[in-house]
Amino acid sequence: MPAGTLVHLGEQMSDEIHISVIDYGIETVTEGEPATVSDIPDQRADGTAVRWIHIAGLHDVAKIAEVGERFGIPALVLEDVLNTSCRPKIEEFVGGIFVLLRSLTDDPENQHVDLQQVAFVLLEDNVLLSFSEVPAAAFSPVRRRVRTGGGGRIRKAGGDYLLWALFDVVVDHYLRVTDAMDEALSNVDDRLQDRPEMVSAADISRLKSEVTALYRHIRPCREIASILNRADSPLIEATTEPYLRDLNDHAIQVVEAAEDLRETAASLRDFYHTAMSNRMNEVMKVLTCFSTIFLPLTFLAGIYGMNFEHMPELKWQGSYAVLWIVFVLTALGMFWLFRKKRWL
């Protein structure tokens, strides 16, 4: 299809599109949940300087197209918003900045990581639009700051600061997920140190696949944060630049953490194979030693199992007992020799 064709690509994760509008300033906050895009008011309430419009649900192409037409968002940007497999990116267009990310939220109780695409479009006049596949619980702290932060920094700043706050929340969740994954790898490492036979190759392979996918989703945020930090855009105020530099540092930190996880997962797999190989070597060493101990006994039993008529030892009265004594002494002697050489 031609570039800019609006088609939803990905799993439908919500039944309907939910729209929320928050207009806020230093003293005033107003919220609304318009049923349709056309119900979004053109004018803000008195005393509000920033408008935050959040759209949860990306499957309704017609409504997303209506949003783009209403706020002048290019079709190529909307195409990336609708494509939930699109690589995270940042783009500048006339009158706006577009940021596309993956949001990762850890759920320790269910041992699950919620993955969804989130997008931000910063426009002129301090308007920020955010898009998510489902209502984004990760943005709840920012909503609370807007609602209760009378006189706070977020209520005094513009839409660029709101973009930083939402981006920073996403990166913070990256850190939580990497910490949880690091703990899971540490648990497996401890089990490998204590009882390597209790760890399966499937467990390590699953962890390695999860770490690889995690790194693939997290890695682009460092590039995006760096570009946003260097962006020479009239939409980014000078007062927000220190926060963007701090965001860039956090993005570098989380990507380095993800890289460490990849190396740890790879080393765990190598350690597992080494442990299994060593365990097999130990088993083979013990079996070999016992086979060697019984080798001279088998030799003696083979000699006296021959059916020659003239074998003088066969007519001795105590030959049977003597042969058993030789068997025992030979076995004990070889066992002592192996222990002395630390082969057993």
Side-chain angles (χ1 to χ4, degrees), residues 179-298:
D179 288 344
M181 188 62 69
D182 182 62
E183 183 177 353
L185 290 174
S186 297
N187 292 335
V188 173
D189 184 42
D190 293 339
R191 290 162 57 195
L192 279 175
Q193 298 289 345
D194 297 336
R195 299 283 301 276
E197 67 276 6
M198 300 300 294
V199 180
S200 67
D203 293 336
I204 296 179
S205 179
R206 176 183 56 81
L207 279 175
K208 187 176 184 302
S209 299
E210 291 178 357
V211 169
T212 301
L214 178 67
Y215 177 73
R216 186 174 64 252
H217 295 310
I218 289 178
R219 181 182 57 185
C221 81
R222 176 171 55 186
E223 177 185 356
I224 296 171
S226 177
I227 294 174
L228 187 61
N229 180 40
R230 301 193 308 267
D232 185 17
S233 172
L235 300 178
I236 305 296
E237 299 180 3
T239 54
T240 309
E241 292 177 358
Y243 301 100
L244 295 179
R245 287 195 295 270
D246 183 70
L247 174 65
N248 187 38
D249 293 339
H250 289 176
I252 293 174
Q253 176 186 353
V254 73
V255 172
E256 289 178 349
E259 290 174 347
D260 291 341
L261 288 178
R262 289 184 71 198
E263 294 177 1
T264 302
S267 64
L268 277 182
R269 185 175 64 174
D270 295 339
F271 182 78
Y272 172 78
H273 289 307
T274 302
M276 291 297 101
S277 178
N278 290 339
R279 184 169 179 268
M280 181 60 68
N281 290 339
E282 289 294 327
V283 173
M284 293 303 298
K285 182 175 69 173
V286 172
L287 293 178
T288 302
C289 288
F290 276 99
S291 298
T292 306
I293 289 174
F294 280 92
L295 185 62
L297 307 184
T298 305

Side-chain angles (χ1 to χ4, degrees), residues 36-338:
T36 63
V37 177
S38 58
D39 293 334
I40 300 176
D42 295 327
Q43 300 296 326
R44 303 175 196 169
D46 294 337
T48 61
V50 179
R51 166 165 286 188
W52 176 17
I53 302 174
H54 180 68
I55 300 171
L58 303 178
H59 59 280
D60 194 331
V61 177
K63 288 187 177 180
I64 300 298
E66 188 178 356
V67 171
E69 183 178 356
R70 172 76 181 273
F71 295 97
I73 303 174
L76 290 175
V77 171
L78 296 178
E79 181 184 16
D80 291 338
V81 171
L82 290 170
N83 183 3
T84 58
S85 62
C86 184
R87 185 181 185 274
K89 61 195 298 187
I90 180 172
E91 291 180 356
E92 291 189 51
F93 58 91
V94 178
I97 298 176
F98 170 57
V99 177
L100 186 68
L101 295 170
R102 293 285 186 274
S103 174
L104 301 174
T105 305
D106 184 38
D107 184 2
E109 294 183 359
N110 299 322
Q111 297 183 345
H112 173 70
V113 175
D114 177 49
L115 168 67
Q116 62 172 301
Q117 177 172 284
V118 293
F120 309 109
V121 179
L122 178 62
L123 302 174
E124 296 174 342
D125 199 22
N126 286 321
V127 175
L128 178 71
L129 288 90
S130 58
F131 300 84
S132 63
E133 298 181 69
V134 296
F139 298 158
S140 298
V142 179
R143 290 192 182 93
R144 286 195 296 269
R145 290 175 59 190
V146 171
R147 291 165 181 164
T148 62
R153 186 176 293 112
I154 195 169
R155 295 270 286 270
K156 296 177 181 178
D160 55 339
Y161 186 89
L162 177 61
L163 173 62
W164 165 81
L166 295 173
F167 197 153
D168 190 59
V169 166
V170 173
V171 174
D172 285 344
H173 280 83
Y174 287 169
L175 288 171
R176 295 180 187 178
V177 173
T178 54
D179 288 344
M181 188 62 69
D182 182 62
E183 183 177 353
L185 290 174
S186 297
N187 292 335
V188 173
D189 184 42
D190 293 339
R191 290 162 57 195
L192 279 175
Q193 298 289 345
D194 297 336
R195 299 283 301 276
E197 67 276 6
M198 300 300 294
V199 180
S200 67
D203 293 336
I204 296 179
S205 179
R206 176 183 56 81
L207 279 175
K208 187 176 184 302
S209 299
E210 291 178 357
V211 169
T212 301
L214 178 67
Y215 177 73
R216 186 174 64 252
H217 295 310
I218 289 178
R219 181 182 57 185
C221 81
R222 176 171 55 186
E223 177 185 356
I224 296 171
S226 177
I227 294 174
L228 187 61
N229 180 40
R230 301 193 308 267
D232 185 17
S233 172
L235 300 178
I236 305 296
E237 299 180 3
T239 54
T240 309
E241 292 177 358
Y243 301 100
L244 295 179
R245 287 195 295 270
D246 183 70
L247 174 65
N248 187 38
D249 293 339
H250 289 176
I252 293 174
Q253 176 186 353
V254 73
V255 172
E256 289 178 349
E259 290 174 347
D260 291 341
L261 288 178
R262 289 184 71 198
E263 294 177 1
T264 302
S267 64
L268 277 182
R269 185 175 64 174
D270 295 339
F271 182 78
Y272 172 78
H273 289 307
T274 302
M276 291 297 101
S277 178
N278 290 339
R279 184 169 179 268
M280 181 60 68
N281 290 339
E282 289 294 327
V283 173
M284 293 303 298
K285 182 175 69 173
V286 172
L287 293 178
T288 302
C289 288
F290 276 99
S291 298
T292 306
I293 289 174
F294 280 92
L295 185 62
L297 307 184
T298 305
F299 172 74
L300 291 175
I303 290 178
Y304 288 102
M306 294 186 295
N307 295 321
F308 291 109
E309 182 178 355
H310 302 287
M311 293 183 68
E313 295 88 352
L314 298 179
K315 300 185 181 296
W316 293 352
Q317 184 175 359
S319 59
Y320 180 73
V322 171
L323 185 60
W324 267 108
I325 293 173
V326 172
F327 281 168
V328 172
L329 291 178
T330 302
L332 290 177
M334 296 191 68
F335 184 78
W336 171 81
L337 178 63
F338 292 159

Side-chain angles (χ1 to χ4, degrees), residues 18-23 30-34 52:
H18 180 265
I19 303 174
S20 64
V21 179
I22 301 179
D23 294 337
T30 63
E31 298 186 47
E33 296 183 356
W52 176 17

